[in-house]
PDB file of all heavy atoms in Angstrom:
ATOM      1  N   GLU A  70      66.783 102.983 125.332  1.00 68.00           N
ATOM      2  CA  GLU A  70      67.118 104.312 125.836  1.00 68.00           C
ATOM      3  C   GLU A  70      67.170 105.358 124.735  1.00 68.00           C
ATOM      4  O   GLU A  70      66.823 106.521 124.943  1.00 68.00           O
ATOM      5  CB  GLU A  70      68.461 104.282 126.580  1.00 68.00           C
ATOM      6  CG  GLU A  70      68.395 103.611 127.938  1.00 68.00           C
ATOM      7  CD  GLU A  70      67.482 104.358 128.901  1.00 68.00           C
ATOM      8  OE1 GLU A  70      67.462 105.593 128.869  1.00 68.00           O
ATOM      9  OE2 GLU A  70      66.785 103.698 129.683  1.00 68.00           O
ATOM     10  N   ALA A  71      67.620 104.981 123.552  1.00 61.00           N
ATOM     11  CA  ALA A  71      67.705 105.946 122.457  1.00 61.00           C
ATOM     12  C   ALA A  71      66.324 106.470 122.079  1.00 61.00           C
ATOM     13  O   ALA A  71      66.153 107.633 121.734  1.00 61.00           O
ATOM     14  CB  ALA A  71      68.368 105.300 121.242  1.00 61.00           C
ATOM     15  N   PHE A  72      65.313 105.604 122.164  1.00 64.00           N
ATOM     16  CA  PHE A  72      63.938 105.998 121.865  1.00 64.00           C
ATOM     17  C   PHE A  72      63.398 106.893 122.980  1.00 64.00           C
ATOM     18  O   PHE A  72      62.759 107.904 122.737  1.00 64.00           O
ATOM     19  CB  PHE A  72      63.102 104.731 121.718  1.00 64.00           C
ATOM     20  CG  PHE A  72      61.670 104.968 121.302  1.00 64.00           C
ATOM     21  CD1 PHE A  72      61.298 106.086 120.575  1.00 64.00           C
ATOM     22  CD2 PHE A  72      60.692 104.040 121.645  1.00 64.00           C
ATOM     23  CE1 PHE A  72      59.970 106.282 120.198  1.00 64.00           C
ATOM     24  CE2 PHE A  72      59.378 104.230 121.270  1.00 64.00           C
ATOM     25  CZ  PHE A  72      59.017 105.355 120.542  1.00 64.00           C
ATOM     26  N   ARG A  73      63.682 106.534 124.228  1.00 58.00           N
ATOM     27  CA  ARG A  73      63.189 107.306 125.363  1.00 58.00           C
ATOM     28  C   ARG A  73      63.799 108.700 125.402  1.00 58.00           C
ATOM     29  O   ARG A  73      63.143 109.678 125.732  1.00 58.00           O
ATOM     30  CB  ARG A  73      63.513 106.584 126.675  1.00 58.00           C
ATOM     31  CG  ARG A  73      62.929 107.256 127.908  1.00 58.00           C
ATOM     32  CD  ARG A  73      63.423 106.581 129.178  1.00 58.00           C
ATOM     33  NE  ARG A  73      63.052 105.191 129.243  1.00 58.00           N
ATOM     34  CZ  ARG A  73      61.854 104.768 129.640  1.00 58.00           C
ATOM     35  NH1 ARG A  73      60.921 105.628 129.983  1.00 58.00           N
ATOM     36  NH2 ARG A  73      61.580 103.477 129.682  1.00 58.00           N
ATOM     37  N   ASN A  74      65.081 108.814 125.054  1.00 51.00           N
ATOM     38  CA  ASN A  74      65.786 110.081 125.212  1.00 51.00           C
ATOM     39  C   ASN A  74      65.701 111.013 124.018  1.00 51.00           C
ATOM     40  O   ASN A  74      66.229 112.107 124.063  1.00 51.00           O
ATOM     41  CB  ASN A  74      67.267 109.822 125.524  1.00 51.00           C
ATOM     42  CG  ASN A  74      67.425 109.200 126.887  1.00 51.00           C
ATOM     43  OD1 ASN A  74      66.564 109.324 127.739  1.00 51.00           O
ATOM     44  ND2 ASN A  74      68.539 108.511 127.102  1.00 51.00           N
ATOM     45  N   GLY A  75      65.092 110.555 122.945  1.00 47.00           N
ATOM     46  CA  GLY A  75      64.789 111.504 121.894  1.00 47.00           C
ATOM     47  C   GLY A  75      65.543 111.473 120.593  1.00 47.00           C
ATOM     48  O   GLY A  75      65.041 111.964 119.597  1.00 47.00           O
ATOM     49  N   PRO A  76      66.780 110.939 120.476  1.00 46.00           N
ATOM     50  CA  PRO A  76      67.467 111.033 119.212  1.00 46.00           C
ATOM     51  C   PRO A  76      66.980 110.040 118.167  1.00 46.00           C
ATOM     52  O   PRO A  76      67.465 110.027 117.053  1.00 46.00           O
ATOM     53  CB  PRO A  76      68.922 110.743 119.585  1.00 46.00           C
ATOM     54  CG  PRO A  76      68.827 109.866 120.767  1.00 46.00           C
ATOM     55  CD  PRO A  76      67.621 110.368 121.523  1.00 46.00           C
ATOM     56  N   GLY A  77      66.030 109.168 118.530  1.00 49.00           N
ATOM     57  CA  GLY A  77      65.522 108.194 117.572  1.00 49.00           C
ATOM     58  C   GLY A  77      66.080 106.820 117.856  1.00 49.00           C
ATOM     59  O   GLY A  77      66.829 106.619 118.796  1.00 49.00           O
ATOM     60  N   TRP A  78      65.734 105.855 117.015  1.00 51.00           N
ATOM     61  CA  TRP A  78      66.241 104.515 117.250  1.00 51.00           C
ATOM     62  C   TRP A  78      66.844 103.959 115.980  1.00 51.00           C
ATOM     63  O   TRP A  78      66.738 104.534 114.911  1.00 51.00           O
ATOM     64  CB  TRP A  78      65.136 103.601 117.791  1.00 51.00           C
ATOM     65  CG  TRP A  78      63.961 103.426 116.891  1.00 51.00           C
ATOM     66  CD1 TRP A  78      63.817 102.516 115.886  1.00 51.00           C
ATOM     67  CD2 TRP A  78      62.753 104.193 116.900  1.00 51.00           C
ATOM     68  NE1 TRP A  78      62.605 102.662 115.282  1.00 51.00           N
ATOM     69  CE2 TRP A  78      61.932 103.666 115.882  1.00 51.00           C
ATOM     70  CE3 TRP A  78      62.302 105.256 117.681  1.00 51.00           C
ATOM     71  CZ2 TRP A  78      60.662 104.188 115.626  1.00 51.00           C
ATOM     72  CZ3 TRP A  78      61.042 105.768 117.405  1.00 51.00           C
ATOM     73  CH2 TRP A  78      60.241 105.231 116.395  1.00 51.00           C
ATOM     74  N   SER A  79      67.490 102.812 116.095  1.00 52.00           N
ATOM     75  CA  SER A  79      68.258 102.261 114.991  1.00 52.00           C
ATOM     76  C   SER A  79      67.466 101.200 114.262  1.00 52.00           C
ATOM     77  O   SER A  79      66.451 100.699 114.739  1.00 52.00           O
ATOM     78  CB  SER A  79      69.557 101.645 115.527  1.00 52.00           C
ATOM     79  OG  SER A  79      70.270 102.595 116.275  1.00 52.00           O
ATOM     80  N   SER A  80      67.943 100.867 113.091  1.00 51.00           N
ATOM     81  CA  SER A  80      67.296  99.823 112.311  1.00 51.00           C
ATOM     82  C   SER A  80      68.359  99.055 111.547  1.00 51.00           C
ATOM     83  O   SER A  80      69.534  99.424 111.526  1.00 51.00           O
ATOM     84  CB  SER A  80      66.285 100.437 111.329  1.00 51.00           C
ATOM     85  OG  SER A  80      66.944 101.322 110.448  1.00 51.00           O
ATOM     86  N   GLY A  81      67.956  97.956 110.889  1.00 57.00           N
ATOM     87  CA  GLY A  81      68.860  97.189 110.067  1.00 57.00           C
ATOM     88  C   GLY A  81      69.989  96.562 110.858  1.00 57.00           C
ATOM     89  O   GLY A  81      69.807  96.020 111.947  1.00 57.00           O
ATOM     90  N   ARG A  82      71.211  96.627 110.299  1.00 73.00           N
ATOM     91  CA  ARG A  82      72.367  95.976 110.913  1.00 73.00           C
ATOM     92  C   ARG A  82      72.651  96.529 112.303  1.00 73.00           C
ATOM     93  O   ARG A  82      73.015  95.783 113.206  1.00 73.00           O
ATOM     94  CB  ARG A  82      73.596  96.150 110.018  1.00 73.00           C
ATOM     95  CG  ARG A  82      74.798  95.344 110.485  1.00 73.00           C
ATOM     96  CD  ARG A  82      75.927  95.379 109.495  1.00 73.00           C
ATOM     97  NE  ARG A  82      76.744  96.569 109.651  1.00 73.00           N
ATOM     98  CZ  ARG A  82      78.006  96.663 109.212  1.00 73.00           C
ATOM     99  NH1 ARG A  82      78.565  95.648 108.591  1.00 73.00           N
ATOM    100  NH2 ARG A  82      78.692  97.777 109.374  1.00 73.00           N
ATOM    101  N   GLU A  83      72.465  97.829 112.477  1.00 79.00           N
ATOM    102  CA  GLU A  83      72.736  98.429 113.778  1.00 79.00           C
ATOM    103  C   GLU A  83      71.748  97.934 114.834  1.00 79.00           C
ATOM    104  O   GLU A  83      72.121  97.722 115.988  1.00 79.00           O
ATOM    105  CB  GLU A  83      72.681  99.948 113.679  1.00 79.00           C
ATOM    106  CG  GLU A  83      73.252 100.654 114.885  1.00 79.00           C
ATOM    107  CD  GLU A  83      73.399 102.144 114.659  1.00 79.00           C
ATOM    108  OE1 GLU A  83      74.295 102.531 113.887  1.00 79.00           O
ATOM    109  OE2 GLU A  83      72.612 102.917 115.248  1.00 79.00           O
ATOM    110  N   ALA A  84      70.495  97.748 114.440  1.00 76.00           N
ATOM    111  CA  ALA A  84      69.499  97.228 115.374  1.00 76.00           C
ATOM    112  C   ALA A  84      69.853  95.810 115.812  1.00 76.00           C
ATOM    113  O   ALA A  84      69.716  95.455 116.985  1.00 76.00           O
ATOM    114  CB  ALA A  84      68.112  97.251 114.731  1.00 76.00           C
ATOM    115  N   GLN A  85      70.328  95.007 114.882  1.00 79.00           N
ATOM    116  CA  GLN A  85      70.735  93.641 115.224  1.00 79.00           C
ATOM    117  C   GLN A  85      71.937  93.657 116.161  1.00 79.00           C
ATOM    118  O   GLN A  85      72.036  92.854 117.093  1.00 79.00           O
ATOM    119  CB  GLN A  85      71.061  92.861 113.948  1.00 79.00           C
ATOM    120  CG  GLN A  85      69.855  92.645 113.047  1.00 79.00           C
ATOM    121  CD  GLN A  85      70.213  92.010 111.714  1.00 79.00           C
ATOM    122  OE1 GLN A  85      71.383  91.890 111.370  1.00 79.00           O
ATOM    123  NE2 GLN A  85      69.212  91.623 110.954  1.00 79.00           N
ATOM    124  N   LEU A  86      72.850  94.587 115.919  1.00 89.00           N
ATOM    125  CA  LEU A  86      74.007  94.739 116.793  1.00 89.00           C
ATOM    126  C   LEU A  86      73.570  95.078 118.213  1.00 89.00           C
ATOM    127  O   LEU A  86      74.034  94.476 119.187  1.00 89.00           O
ATOM    128  CB  LEU A  86      74.915  95.844 116.242  1.00 89.00           C
ATOM    129  CG  LEU A  86      76.042  96.345 117.159  1.00 89.00           C
ATOM    130  CD1 LEU A  86      77.066  95.236 117.420  1.00 89.00           C
ATOM    131  CD2 LEU A  86      76.715  97.569 116.543  1.00 89.00           C
ATOM    132  N   ILE A  87      72.664  96.032 118.350  1.00 87.00           N
ATOM    133  CA  ILE A  87      72.197  96.452 119.671  1.00 87.00           C
ATOM    134  C   ILE A  87      71.467  95.321 120.374  1.00 87.00           C
ATOM    135  O   ILE A  87      71.672  95.074 121.566  1.00 87.00           O
ATOM    136  CB  ILE A  87      71.286  97.692 119.542  1.00 87.00           C
ATOM    137  CG1 ILE A  87      72.110  98.896 119.058  1.00 87.00           C
ATOM    138  CG2 ILE A  87      70.605  98.013 120.873  1.00 87.00           C
ATOM    139  CD1 ILE A  87      71.268 100.089 118.664  1.00 87.00           C
ATOM    140  N   ALA A  88      70.616  94.617 119.625  1.00 83.00           N
ATOM    141  CA  ALA A  88      69.860  93.513 120.217  1.00 83.00           C
ATOM    142  C   ALA A  88      70.795  92.428 120.744  1.00 83.00           C
ATOM    143  O   ALA A  88      70.568  91.856 121.814  1.00 83.00           O
ATOM    144  CB  ALA A  88      68.889  92.935 119.189  1.00 83.00           C
ATOM    145  N   ALA A  89      71.871  92.141 120.003  1.00 88.00           N
ATOM    146  CA  ALA A  89      72.832  91.122 120.446  1.00 88.00           C
ATOM    147  C   ALA A  89      73.668  91.624 121.616  1.00 88.00           C
ATOM    148  O   ALA A  89      74.041  90.860 122.506  1.00 88.00           O
ATOM    149  CB  ALA A  89      73.740  90.728 119.284  1.00 88.00           C
TER     150      ALA A  89
END
Side-chain angles (χ1 to χ4, degrees):
E70 287 297 323
F72 184 27
R73 185 187 300 278
N74 292 338
W78 61 87
S79 305
S80 60
R82 188 172 83 159
E83 193 170 288
Q85 295 173 350
L86 168 65
I87 293 170

